[in-house]
């Protein structure tokens, strides 16, 4: 069962960890390339800040973004800012999200995200936690997939395998870290492919942050996953 209050505490801790790490950068480092193709670290930081405001919109019943074009334009606008501006925005937007999510609300209600995607409100804090943690890794400043907590890794693997379930272009796949197992892909009586590996690497592959080259695959090649 989702515990939004516990997830909010995790969001706070992850945000503080990100802020502490970014504080160690300088303006030149912020302008350097991140691990995301075509994005500098400034783009990643701008996105994390704007995502906080977008999720405030979601919780308050407004469209997450005015439009996809507006979302992209806001990131491009904010990406070149110096470190102090990035830090101030990251901190302030995170506080706005935390304040909104702390308010009494019906957490069982359905909310709408991007592209018509809906979810229960109680999962929004976890979605924010994902944004903060994975984009911290994307900065390429020493925080790695292996540094993510075991709880976070397992929950995100569950979330992503559910997202890929039922997709005809993905073979019916069993994903396992040797202790736990998850399934995804098109419907079939038996798994067509089994992918073995440590949870952080499985998470990285599912989230598009690892090429999966070190994973062990049985039954066929490593499935090609659609972009998130």
């Amino acid at each position: 069962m989702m515990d939004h209050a516990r997830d909010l505490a995790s969001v706070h801790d992850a945000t503080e960890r990100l802020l502490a790490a970014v504080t160690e950068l300088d303006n030149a480092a912020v302008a350097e390339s991140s691990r995301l193709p075509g994005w500098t670290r400034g783009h990643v930081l701008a996105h994390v800040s704007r995502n906080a405001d977008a999720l405030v919109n979601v919780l308050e019943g407004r469209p997450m973004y005015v439009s996809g074009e507006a979302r992209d334009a806001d990131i491009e606008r904010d990406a070149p800012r110096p470190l102090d501006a990035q830090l101030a925005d990251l901190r302030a937007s995170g506080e706005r999200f935390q304040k909104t999510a702390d308010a009494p609300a019906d957490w069982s209600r359905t909310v709408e995200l991007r592209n018509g995607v809906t979810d229960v409100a109680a999962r929004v804090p976890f979605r924010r936690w994902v944004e903060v943690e994975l984009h911290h890794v994307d900065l390429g400043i020493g925080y790695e997939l292996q540094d993510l907590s075991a709880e976070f890794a397992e929950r995100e693997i569950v979330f992503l395998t559910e997202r890929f379930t039922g997709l005809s272009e993905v073979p019916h796949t069993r994903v396992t870290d040797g202790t736990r197992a998850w399934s995804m892909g098109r419907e079939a009586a038996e798994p067509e492919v089994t992918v073995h590996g440590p949870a952080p690497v499985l998470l990285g592959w599912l989230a598009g942050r690892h090429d999966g080259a070190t994973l062990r695959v049985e039954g066929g090649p490593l499935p090609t996953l659609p972009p998130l």
Side-chain angles (χ1 to χ4, degrees):
M1 180 176 294
M2 286 173 286
D3 184 342
H4 71 274
R6 188 165 181 267
D7 285 347
L8 279 173
S10 296
V11 171
H12 176 270
D13 292 345
T15 302
E16 290 300 310
R17 190 160 51 244
L18 175 60
L19 285 165
V22 174
T23 300
E24 299 299 316
L25 303 179
D26 56 25
N27 290 336
V30 170
E32 291 173 353
S33 295
S34 73
R35 290 172 169 170
L36 294 180
W39 272 17
T40 65
R41 292 190 179 112
H43 283 89
V44 175
L45 295 173
H47 168 63
V48 175
S49 295
R50 299 289 67 76
N51 171 264
D53 288 335
L55 291 177
V56 168
N57 289 338
V58 168
L59 291 175
E60 294 185 342
R62 296 186 296 274
M64 186 169 181
Y65 296 101
V66 174
S67 67
E69 293 77 13
R71 169 189 175 274
D72 295 344
D74 286 347
I75 294 171
E76 290 296 333
R77 177 198 66 207
D78 295 342
R81 297 175 303 178
L83 175 62
D84 58 351
Q86 297 281 9
L87 278 169
D89 190 17
L90 193 63
R91 184 175 293 107
S93 60
E95 289 173 353
R96 287 192 294 270
F97 173 78
Q98 203 78 30
K99 181 179 179 180
T100 300
D102 279 338
D106 175 12
W107 288 97
S108 66
R109 73 191 188 280
T110 298
V111 295
E112 184 171 343
L113 296 112
R114 293 183 67 198
N115 303 320
V117 173
T118 60
D119 204 348
V120 63
R123 207 199 300 262
V124 171
F126 177 70
R127 286 180 175 270
R128 177 60 183 171
W129 188 14
V130 171
E131 291 287 327
V132 176
E133 291 282 44
L134 292 187
H135 286 310
H136 191 166
V137 173
D138 292 335
L139 289 173
I141 55 176
Y143 192 66
E144 305 297 338
L145 293 166
Q146 289 75 13
D147 296 317
L148 299 169
S149 71
E151 177 198 356
F152 175 85
E154 180 176 0
R155 288 182 62 188
E156 180 65 348
I157 289 172
V158 170
F159 181 79
L160 290 171
T161 51
E162 287 177 352
R163 185 164 179 172
F164 292 130
T165 295
L167 297 183
S168 60
E169 66 268 35
V170 178
H172 186 58
T173 304
R174 181 174 182 266
V175 177
T176 179
D177 64 357
T179 302
R180 299 155 296 186
W182 307 268
S183 63
M184 65 180 190
R186 56 179 171 255
E187 293 186 9
E190 297 291 338
E192 302 167 55
V193 178
T194 299
V195 179
H196 305 258
V201 181
L202 292 171
L203 167 57
W205 169 60
L206 292 166
R209 267 76 178 181
H210 193 286
D211 63 10
T214 59
L215 296 171
R216 181 165 62 89
V217 187
E218 298 174 353
L222 185 69
T224 299
L225 303 177
L228 295 172

